[in-house]
Amino acid sequence: MYNLQWLKLEIKIFSNRKIQILLKETEGDTYFRGWIQLITIAMECNSEGKLVIGKNTPMTIENFSKIMGKSKKKMEKIIKKFQELNMLIIEEGAYKIKNWSKYQSVETNEKYQEQNRIRQQRYREKLKSEKEKSNVTITENNAQEDNTRKENENNNGFREYKI
């Protein structure tokens, strides 16, 4: 499963034929708002577009009615319209947003997360190998430079430079 905290909407959403049909209905804005609410509910359900309570309990029209603040009769009309337009289907006894993974780019997000995981793993391995390689040893030249620097510092911690 995935847990996305954002909703993907296509910028051409109002050019979509089904959305145009919804908006031309008598209460088109209500249908559109209902559609967006169903999508956000599906996001919260985190069940690949299925509208469920818990893991497998299908949401009912009564549930939608309470969540969206609409009458049961109004919700039945809205759900029926979404089914007519093949935007909402019933799968395994539960309402489901059709083509959920396509529209929400779930595979793309999972691929992105996997790439980040691999990238982070390589970075940690690189840091570990650099740490193992950098066993610093003091040579005679390094020790002499260190002593020379200390000799050139005066009492207040500043170095004296001769011109």
Side-chain angles (χ1 to χ4, degrees):
M1 289 290 165
Y2 51 90
N3 190 13
L4 302 177
Q5 298 299 313
W6 45 265
L7 172 67
K8 179 181 171 188
L9 284 179
E10 191 175 31
I11 59 172
K12 299 178 197 173
I13 191 167
F14 295 106
S15 299
N16 182 305
R17 282 185 233 134
K18 293 177 183 180
I19 297 299
Q20 288 176 340
I21 291 169
L22 285 178
L23 290 172
K24 289 187 180 177
E25 290 289 319
T26 306
E27 297 181 52
D29 291 344
T30 304
Y31 283 104
F32 183 71
R33 179 176 164 235
W35 179 245
I36 299 299
Q37 282 184 293
L38 283 179
I39 293 172
T40 58
I41 291 168
M43 295 289 293
E44 290 173 3
C45 292
N46 197 16
S47 190
E48 299 172 358
K50 285 186 189 170
L51 299 158
V52 293
I53 299 171
K55 290 193 177 191
N56 292 324
T57 307
M59 290 184 119
T60 63
I61 292 183
E62 290 84 17
N63 297 132
F64 298 139
S65 175
K66 290 176 184 175
I67 292 169
M68 295 184 192
K70 305 281 182 214
S71 69
K72 182 179 173 187
K73 186 177 178 183
K74 180 64 121 182
M75 278 314 305
E76 286 173 344
K77 187 177 174 183
I78 290 171
I79 297 296
K80 182 180 177 192
K81 188 65 175 178
F82 293 152
Q83 287 179 306
E84 284 175 11
L85 292 172
N86 205 19
M87 297 165 75
L88 195 63
I89 58 175
I90 295 178
E91 185 176 282
E92 298 173 7
Y95 291 106
K96 181 180 179 182
I97 307 290
K98 187 172 180 197
N99 297 326
W100 175 256
S101 59
K102 175 183 171 186
Y103 294 118
Q104 291 306 311
S105 301
V106 173
E107 293 85 16
T108 304
N109 186 57
E110 289 172 350
K111 181 180 174 185
Y112 178 74
Q113 287 177 340
E114 180 64 15
Q115 286 173 341
N116 280 345
R117 186 190 65 72
I118 292 169
R119 187 179 304 116
Q120 186 67 27
Q121 185 179 13
R122 282 191 304 235
Y123 175 72
R124 287 181 182 139
E125 288 171 359
K126 180 181 173 187
L127 287 179
K128 185 178 176 183
S129 68
E130 286 176 359
K131 187 177 180 181
E132 289 172 355
K133 288 179 185 177
S134 69
N135 292 333
V136 178
T137 55
I138 297 179
T139 62
E140 286 182 34
N141 290 340
N142 288 344
Q144 283 179 340
E145 275 184 38
D146 219 21
N147 289 336
T148 308
R149 286 187 199 145
K150 287 180 183 174
E151 290 172 6
N152 290 338
E153 289 182 7
N154 60 22
N155 292 338
N156 61 10
F158 293 102
R159 294 188 187 131
E160 291 182 20
Y161 293 97
K162 295 181 181 176
I163 299 179

